[in-house]
Amino acid sequence: MSIDSYRSALVQQISLNVLLIFGLLLVQPDATFAQSGANDQDDGIFRVGPFEHHSVPGGIAIVPTGLSNEAVAPTLRWNSRRLAALYANNQWYALVGIPLSTEAGVQTVVVSAGDKTVEITFAVDEAHYEEQRITISDERKVNPAPLDMERINKESVRLKAVKAIHSSNLLSDHFIWPVTGPISSTFGLQRFFNDQPRRPHGGIDIAMPTGTPIIAPADGVIIDTGNYFFNGNSVFIDHGLGVQTFYAHMDSIAVSNGDTVGQGDVIGTVGETGRVTGAHLHWSLGLNGTWVDPTLVLVDD
Ligand SMILES: [Zn+2]
């Protein structure tokens, strides 16, 4: 979407929905994108910090709130999700990670600042993701045994708690690839394991040999490490504000819970643990508890 059409679609809404109510809070609707600020590209891509606006299922919507008082961060909610608030270009933006299961259409963010609450709408566009059919030789990894299900259910409770972590500061505004190599599966593929439909692919697979170092793509804090039934040896990094990255199928893990990591630090190595057909890194980007396309935080050079 071009910046101009983005403006007309969203700035008008702000004018209607927010101006009257937040009129005393220094709203500057005409200055919304007038200053290049965090967005210094002229290729039509709208970016705030490292995040690229691509409002589709599995994408990120960057929704301007019109609130310009940097000292008062708004509280932002979408359905039951808490959203990150980012300050750039002289105003606060809502950063919305959109689940792959979301239907295209109009969505509403609830914005609270001080004792005022307003609703701002944004549009989610259609996306099309290809099908992918994978043959797994270990049938138990496709149709787990009852004992496996007990383990999987416990793990999903733990994963849900990890994904709900929302710390206060964004620790990094620049991301790089954790491993470079051939992409064997892109984000969002509609997957069939041994011809049975399963959840869509919530990350990117990078095919590299076992033992290849994996680096932290940005500064962060390790919030979970462990061995999971499907994901194998895994690491979660919290980058702040509900922004997380996740690494699966690792051979070795070089970090522990609570460790602080800097961009470029080795967190472990590529492997083939869990449900895999060969050695690769599965890399996911989490936003407000959902998986979105990790390429939306990578700037192409
Ligand atoms: Zn994967």
PDB file of all heavy atoms in Angstrom, residues 128-152:
ATOM      1  N   HIS A 128      -2.934 -14.372   0.415  1.00  0.00           N
ATOM      2  CA  HIS A 128      -3.004 -15.736  -0.107  1.00  0.00           C
ATOM      3  C   HIS A 128      -1.694 -16.453   0.211  1.00  0.00           C
ATOM      4  O   HIS A 128      -0.626 -15.973  -0.135  1.00  0.00           O
ATOM      5  CB  HIS A 128      -3.247 -15.750  -1.611  1.00  0.00           C
ATOM      6  CG  HIS A 128      -3.254 -17.130  -2.178  1.00  0.00           C
ATOM      7  ND1 HIS A 128      -4.295 -18.011  -1.957  1.00  0.00           N
ATOM      8  CD2 HIS A 128      -2.337 -17.804  -2.900  1.00  0.00           C
ATOM      9  CE1 HIS A 128      -4.016 -19.164  -2.535  1.00  0.00           C
ATOM     10  NE2 HIS A 128      -2.842 -19.072  -3.117  1.00  0.00           N
ATOM     11  N   TYR A 129      -1.808 -17.567   0.900  1.00  0.00           N
ATOM     12  CA  TYR A 129      -0.619 -18.366   1.218  1.00  0.00           C
ATOM     13  C   TYR A 129      -0.717 -19.714   0.509  1.00  0.00           C
ATOM     14  O   TYR A 129      -1.786 -20.329   0.467  1.00  0.00           O
ATOM     15  CB  TYR A 129      -0.511 -18.570   2.728  1.00  0.00           C
ATOM     16  CG  TYR A 129      -0.276 -17.289   3.493  1.00  0.00           C
ATOM     17  CD1 TYR A 129      -1.284 -16.699   4.250  1.00  0.00           C
ATOM     18  CD2 TYR A 129       0.972 -16.671   3.457  1.00  0.00           C
ATOM     19  CE1 TYR A 129      -1.058 -15.524   4.958  1.00  0.00           C
ATOM     20  CE2 TYR A 129       1.201 -15.496   4.171  1.00  0.00           C
ATOM     21  CZ  TYR A 129       0.187 -14.933   4.917  1.00  0.00           C
ATOM     22  OH  TYR A 129       0.405 -13.778   5.609  1.00  0.00           O
ATOM     23  N   GLU A 130       0.392 -20.156  -0.024  1.00  0.00           N
ATOM     24  CA  GLU A 130       0.434 -21.412  -0.772  1.00  0.00           C
ATOM     25  C   GLU A 130       0.261 -22.616   0.160  1.00  0.00           C
ATOM     26  O   GLU A 130       0.487 -22.531   1.360  1.00  0.00           O
ATOM     27  CB  GLU A 130       1.798 -21.553  -1.478  1.00  0.00           C
ATOM     28  CG  GLU A 130       2.131 -20.435  -2.436  1.00  0.00           C
ATOM     29  CD  GLU A 130       1.243 -20.450  -3.676  1.00  0.00           C
ATOM     30  OE1 GLU A 130       0.938 -21.554  -4.158  1.00  0.00           O
ATOM     31  OE2 GLU A 130       0.861 -19.364  -4.139  1.00  0.00           O
ATOM     32  N   GLU A 131      -0.099 -23.739  -0.452  1.00  0.00           N
ATOM     33  CA  GLU A 131      -0.138 -25.010   0.289  1.00  0.00           C
ATOM     34  C   GLU A 131       1.241 -25.647   0.289  1.00  0.00           C
ATOM     35  O   GLU A 131       2.013 -25.469  -0.655  1.00  0.00           O
ATOM     36  CB  GLU A 131      -1.101 -25.991  -0.393  1.00  0.00           C
ATOM     37  CG  GLU A 131      -2.547 -25.716  -0.083  1.00  0.00           C
ATOM     38  CD  GLU A 131      -3.448 -26.825  -0.633  1.00  0.00           C
ATOM     39  OE1 GLU A 131      -2.924 -27.821  -1.172  1.00  0.00           O
ATOM     40  OE2 GLU A 131      -4.670 -26.667  -0.515  1.00  0.00           O
ATOM     41  N   GLN A 132       1.528 -26.407   1.329  1.00  0.00           N
ATOM     42  CA  GLN A 132       2.762 -27.179   1.365  1.00  0.00           C
ATOM     43  C   GLN A 132       2.449 -28.570   1.925  1.00  0.00           C
ATOM     44  O   GLN A 132       1.789 -28.684   2.957  1.00  0.00           O
ATOM     45  CB  GLN A 132       3.795 -26.490   2.264  1.00  0.00           C
ATOM     46  CG  GLN A 132       5.136 -27.213   2.281  1.00  0.00           C
ATOM     47  CD  GLN A 132       6.137 -26.555   3.223  1.00  0.00           C
ATOM     48  OE1 GLN A 132       5.789 -26.168   4.335  1.00  0.00           O
ATOM     49  NE2 GLN A 132       7.372 -26.436   2.785  1.00  0.00           N
ATOM     50  N   ARG A 133       2.893 -29.598   1.201  1.00  0.00           N
ATOM     51  CA  ARG A 133       2.661 -30.976   1.644  1.00  0.00           C
ATOM     52  C   ARG A 133       3.990 -31.608   2.044  1.00  0.00           C
ATOM     53  O   ARG A 133       4.952 -31.572   1.291  1.00  0.00           O
ATOM     54  CB  ARG A 133       1.968 -31.778   0.539  1.00  0.00           C
ATOM     55  CG  ARG A 133       0.544 -31.278   0.368  1.00  0.00           C
ATOM     56  CD  ARG A 133      -0.234 -31.902  -0.757  1.00  0.00           C
ATOM     57  NE  ARG A 133      -1.539 -31.253  -0.831  1.00  0.00           N
ATOM     58  CZ  ARG A 133      -2.617 -31.665  -0.145  1.00  0.00           C
ATOM     59  NH1 ARG A 133      -2.552 -32.759   0.607  1.00  0.00           N
ATOM     60  NH2 ARG A 133      -3.757 -31.011  -0.234  1.00  0.00           N
ATOM     61  N   ILE A 134       4.000 -32.117   3.270  1.00  0.00           N
ATOM     62  CA  ILE A 134       5.250 -32.641   3.841  1.00  0.00           C
ATOM     63  C   ILE A 134       5.019 -34.076   4.283  1.00  0.00           C
ATOM     64  O   ILE A 134       3.967 -34.401   4.844  1.00  0.00           O
ATOM     65  CB  ILE A 134       5.667 -31.782   5.060  1.00  0.00           C
ATOM     66  CG1 ILE A 134       6.016 -30.369   4.594  1.00  0.00           C
ATOM     67  CG2 ILE A 134       6.833 -32.408   5.819  1.00  0.00           C
ATOM     68  CD1 ILE A 134       6.266 -29.410   5.722  1.00  0.00           C
ATOM     69  N   THR A 135       6.003 -34.930   4.013  1.00  0.00           N
ATOM     70  CA  THR A 135       5.929 -36.312   4.490  1.00  0.00           C
ATOM     71  C   THR A 135       6.868 -36.475   5.681  1.00  0.00           C
ATOM     72  O   THR A 135       8.046 -36.174   5.587  1.00  0.00           O
ATOM     73  CB  THR A 135       6.330 -37.295   3.368  1.00  0.00           C
ATOM     74  OG1 THR A 135       5.485 -37.046   2.244  1.00  0.00           O
ATOM     75  CG2 THR A 135       6.171 -38.733   3.825  1.00  0.00           C
ATOM     76  N   ILE A 136       6.283 -36.905   6.795  1.00  0.00           N
ATOM     77  CA  ILE A 136       7.048 -37.117   8.029  1.00  0.00           C
ATOM     78  C   ILE A 136       7.122 -38.623   8.272  1.00  0.00           C
ATOM     79  O   ILE A 136       6.083 -39.298   8.322  1.00  0.00           O
ATOM     80  CB  ILE A 136       6.346 -36.417   9.218  1.00  0.00           C
ATOM     81  CG1 ILE A 136       6.248 -34.904   8.993  1.00  0.00           C
ATOM     82  CG2 ILE A 136       7.022 -36.759  10.547  1.00  0.00           C
ATOM     83  CD1 ILE A 136       7.511 -34.128   9.172  1.00  0.00           C
ATOM     84  N   SER A 137       8.338 -39.157   8.412  1.00  0.00           N
ATOM     85  CA  SER A 137       8.454 -40.612   8.563  1.00  0.00           C
ATOM     86  C   SER A 137       8.033 -41.071   9.962  1.00  0.00           C
ATOM     87  O   SER A 137       7.503 -42.166  10.129  1.00  0.00           O
ATOM     88  CB  SER A 137       9.878 -41.071   8.249  1.00  0.00           C
ATOM     89  OG  SER A 137      10.795 -40.334   9.022  1.00  0.00           O
ATOM     90  N   ASP A 138       8.232 -40.214  10.967  1.00  0.00           N
ATOM     91  CA  ASP A 138       7.827 -40.581  12.331  1.00  0.00           C
ATOM     92  C   ASP A 138       6.342 -40.254  12.497  1.00  0.00           C
ATOM     93  O   ASP A 138       5.957 -39.131  12.807  1.00  0.00           O
ATOM     94  CB  ASP A 138       8.675 -39.792  13.341  1.00  0.00           C
ATOM     95  CG  ASP A 138       8.324 -40.157  14.785  1.00  0.00           C
ATOM     96  OD1 ASP A 138       7.401 -40.974  14.986  1.00  0.00           O
ATOM     97  OD2 ASP A 138       8.976 -39.617  15.697  1.00  0.00           O
ATOM     98  N   GLU A 139       5.493 -41.269  12.295  1.00  0.00           N
ATOM     99  CA  GLU A 139       4.033 -41.090  12.319  1.00  0.00           C
ATOM    100  C   GLU A 139       3.573 -40.491  13.660  1.00  0.00           C
ATOM    101  O   GLU A 139       2.580 -39.768  13.721  1.00  0.00           O
ATOM    102  CB  GLU A 139       3.371 -42.448  12.058  1.00  0.00           C
ATOM    103  CG  GLU A 139       1.853 -42.471  12.056  1.00  0.00           C
ATOM    104  CD  GLU A 139       1.196 -41.547  11.013  1.00  0.00           C
ATOM    105  OE1 GLU A 139       1.840 -41.268   9.977  1.00  0.00           O
ATOM    106  OE2 GLU A 139       0.048 -41.108  11.261  1.00  0.00           O
ATOM    107  N   ARG A 140       4.302 -40.775  14.725  1.00  0.00           N
ATOM    108  CA  ARG A 140       3.934 -40.250  16.049  1.00  0.00           C
ATOM    109  C   ARG A 140       4.002 -38.725  16.112  1.00  0.00           C
ATOM    110  O   ARG A 140       3.358 -38.092  16.939  1.00  0.00           O
ATOM    111  CB  ARG A 140       4.911 -40.832  17.085  1.00  0.00           C
ATOM    112  CG  ARG A 140       4.205 -41.560  18.214  1.00  0.00           C
ATOM    113  CD  ARG A 140       5.215 -42.182  19.125  1.00  0.00           C
ATOM    114  NE  ARG A 140       5.280 -41.479  20.391  1.00  0.00           N
ATOM    115  CZ  ARG A 140       6.058 -41.859  21.388  1.00  0.00           C
ATOM    116  NH1 ARG A 140       6.841 -42.922  21.258  1.00  0.00           N
ATOM    117  NH2 ARG A 140       6.067 -41.198  22.515  1.00  0.00           N
ATOM    118  N   LYS A 141       4.847 -38.138  15.214  1.00  0.00           N
ATOM    119  CA  LYS A 141       4.945 -36.667  15.189  1.00  0.00           C
ATOM    120  C   LYS A 141       3.786 -36.045  14.400  1.00  0.00           C
ATOM    121  O   LYS A 141       3.613 -34.837  14.392  1.00  0.00           O
ATOM    122  CB  LYS A 141       6.277 -36.228  14.560  1.00  0.00           C
ATOM    123  CG  LYS A 141       7.505 -36.608  15.381  1.00  0.00           C
ATOM    124  CD  LYS A 141       7.720 -35.682  16.561  1.00  0.00           C
ATOM    125  CE  LYS A 141       9.088 -35.922  17.201  1.00  0.00           C
ATOM    126  NZ  LYS A 141       9.070 -35.715  18.654  1.00  0.00           N
ATOM    127  N   VAL A 142       3.002 -36.911  13.713  1.00  0.00           N
ATOM    128  CA  VAL A 142       1.834 -36.418  12.985  1.00  0.00           C
ATOM    129  C   VAL A 142       0.561 -36.731  13.765  1.00  0.00           C
ATOM    130  O   VAL A 142      -0.312 -35.890  13.935  1.00  0.00           O
ATOM    131  CB  VAL A 142       1.771 -37.031  11.569  1.00  0.00           C
ATOM    132  CG1 VAL A 142       0.538 -36.526  10.828  1.00  0.00           C
ATOM    133  CG2 VAL A 142       3.032 -36.708  10.789  1.00  0.00           C
ATOM    134  N   ASN A 143       0.468 -37.948  14.252  1.00  0.00           N
ATOM    135  CA  ASN A 143      -0.660 -38.365  15.088  1.00  0.00           C
ATOM    136  C   ASN A 143      -0.116 -38.866  16.427  1.00  0.00           C
ATOM    137  O   ASN A 143       0.093 -40.060  16.615  1.00  0.00           O
ATOM    138  CB  ASN A 143      -1.471 -39.450  14.375  1.00  0.00           C
ATOM    139  CG  ASN A 143      -2.168 -38.905  13.145  1.00  0.00           C
ATOM    140  OD1 ASN A 143      -2.944 -37.956  13.231  1.00  0.00           O
ATOM    141  ND2 ASN A 143      -1.862 -39.481  11.988  1.00  0.00           N
ATOM    142  N   PRO A 144       0.124 -37.935  17.352  1.00  0.00           N
ATOM    143  CA  PRO A 144       0.781 -38.294  18.609  1.00  0.00           C
ATOM    144  C   PRO A 144      -0.011 -39.306  19.431  1.00  0.00           C
ATOM    145  O   PRO A 144      -1.248 -39.319  19.394  1.00  0.00           O
ATOM    146  CB  PRO A 144       0.857 -36.948  19.349  1.00  0.00           C
ATOM    147  CG  PRO A 144       0.719 -35.902  18.291  1.00  0.00           C
ATOM    148  CD  PRO A 144      -0.164 -36.503  17.251  1.00  0.00           C
ATOM    149  N   ALA A 145       0.723 -40.148  20.152  1.00  0.00           N
ATOM    150  CA  ALA A 145       0.118 -41.126  21.052  1.00  0.00           C
ATOM    151  C   ALA A 145      -0.481 -40.393  22.256  1.00  0.00           C
ATOM    152  O   ALA A 145      -0.123 -39.249  22.516  1.00  0.00           O
ATOM    153  CB  ALA A 145       1.188 -42.117  21.507  1.00  0.00           C
ATOM    154  N   PRO A 146      -1.409 -41.061  23.007  1.00  0.00           N
ATOM    155  CA  PRO A 146      -2.031 -40.409  24.180  1.00  0.00           C
ATOM    156  C   PRO A 146      -0.996 -39.837  25.163  1.00  0.00           C
ATOM    157  O   PRO A 146      -1.170 -38.737  25.680  1.00  0.00           O
ATOM    158  CB  PRO A 146      -2.838 -41.541  24.823  1.00  0.00           C
ATOM    159  CG  PRO A 146      -3.166 -42.444  23.677  1.00  0.00           C
ATOM    160  CD  PRO A 146      -1.996 -42.374  22.742  1.00  0.00           C
ATOM    161  N   LEU A 147       0.081 -40.580  25.377  1.00  0.00           N
ATOM    162  CA  LEU A 147       1.119 -40.098  26.295  1.00  0.00           C
ATOM    163  C   LEU A 147       1.758 -38.821  25.747  1.00  0.00           C
ATOM    164  O   LEU A 147       2.034 -37.880  26.491  1.00  0.00           O
ATOM    165  CB  LEU A 147       2.191 -41.187  26.450  1.00  0.00           C
ATOM    166  CG  LEU A 147       3.123 -41.033  27.651  1.00  0.00           C
ATOM    167  CD1 LEU A 147       2.345 -41.201  28.954  1.00  0.00           C
ATOM    168  CD2 LEU A 147       4.249 -42.079  27.572  1.00  0.00           C
ATOM    169  N   ASP A 148       1.965 -38.797  24.424  1.00  0.00           N
ATOM    170  CA  ASP A 148       2.515 -37.589  23.780  1.00  0.00           C
ATOM    171  C   ASP A 148       1.559 -36.417  23.955  1.00  0.00           C
ATOM    172  O   ASP A 148       1.982 -35.288  24.203  1.00  0.00           O
ATOM    173  CB  ASP A 148       2.721 -37.818  22.272  1.00  0.00           C
ATOM    174  CG  ASP A 148       3.698 -38.935  21.984  1.00  0.00           C
ATOM    175  OD1 ASP A 148       4.603 -39.165  22.817  1.00  0.00           O
ATOM    176  OD2 ASP A 148       3.550 -39.584  20.929  1.00  0.00           O
ATOM    177  N   MET A 149       0.252 -36.699  23.832  1.00  0.00           N
ATOM    178  CA  MET A 149      -0.740 -35.622  23.930  1.00  0.00           C
ATOM    179  C   MET A 149      -0.686 -34.956  25.300  1.00  0.00           C
ATOM    180  O   MET A 149      -0.834 -33.747  25.415  1.00  0.00           O
ATOM    181  CB  MET A 149      -2.152 -36.157  23.662  1.00  0.00           C
ATOM    182  CG  MET A 149      -2.487 -36.391  22.196  1.00  0.00           C
ATOM    183  SD  MET A 149      -2.038 -35.030  21.068  1.00  0.00           S
ATOM    184  CE  MET A 149      -2.998 -33.673  21.768  1.00  0.00           C
ATOM    185  N   GLU A 150      -0.450 -35.762  26.326  1.00  0.00           N
ATOM    186  CA  GLU A 150      -0.321 -35.215  27.684  1.00  0.00           C
ATOM    187  C   GLU A 150       0.831 -34.203  27.718  1.00  0.00           C
ATOM    188  O   GLU A 150       0.700 -33.107  28.245  1.00  0.00           O
ATOM    189  CB  GLU A 150      -0.004 -36.371  28.641  1.00  0.00           C
ATOM    190  CG  GLU A 150      -0.721 -36.307  29.964  1.00  0.00           C
ATOM    191  CD  GLU A 150      -0.490 -37.588  30.743  1.00  0.00           C
ATOM    192  OE1 GLU A 150      -1.258 -38.572  30.524  1.00  0.00           O
ATOM    193  OE2 GLU A 150       0.473 -37.629  31.523  1.00  0.00           O
ATOM    194  N   ARG A 151       1.946 -34.610  27.124  1.00  0.00           N
ATOM    195  CA  ARG A 151       3.125 -33.733  27.071  1.00  0.00           C
ATOM    196  C   ARG A 151       2.825 -32.474  26.243  1.00  0.00           C
ATOM    197  O   ARG A 151       3.136 -31.361  26.646  1.00  0.00           O
ATOM    198  CB  ARG A 151       4.306 -34.513  26.459  1.00  0.00           C
ATOM    199  CG  ARG A 151       5.533 -33.666  26.280  1.00  0.00           C
ATOM    200  CD  ARG A 151       6.694 -34.434  25.650  1.00  0.00           C
ATOM    201  NE  ARG A 151       7.725 -33.484  25.228  1.00  0.00           N
ATOM    202  CZ  ARG A 151       8.797 -33.806  24.522  1.00  0.00           C
ATOM    203  NH1 ARG A 151       8.988 -35.065  24.148  1.00  0.00           N
ATOM    204  NH2 ARG A 151       9.676 -32.892  24.184  1.00  0.00           N
ATOM    205  N   ILE A 152       2.195 -32.690  25.078  1.00  0.00           N
ATOM    206  CA  ILE A 152       1.902 -31.561  24.175  1.00  0.00           C
ATOM    207  C   ILE A 152       0.982 -30.551  24.850  1.00  0.00           C
ATOM    208  O   ILE A 152       1.187 -29.333  24.743  1.00  0.00           O
ATOM    209  CB  ILE A 152       1.270 -32.098  22.864  1.00  0.00           C
ATOM    210  CG1 ILE A 152       2.323 -32.869  22.064  1.00  0.00           C
ATOM    211  CG2 ILE A 152       0.674 -30.969  22.031  1.00  0.00           C
ATOM    212  CD1 ILE A 152       1.742 -33.788  20.997  1.00  0.00           C
TER     213      ILE A 152
END
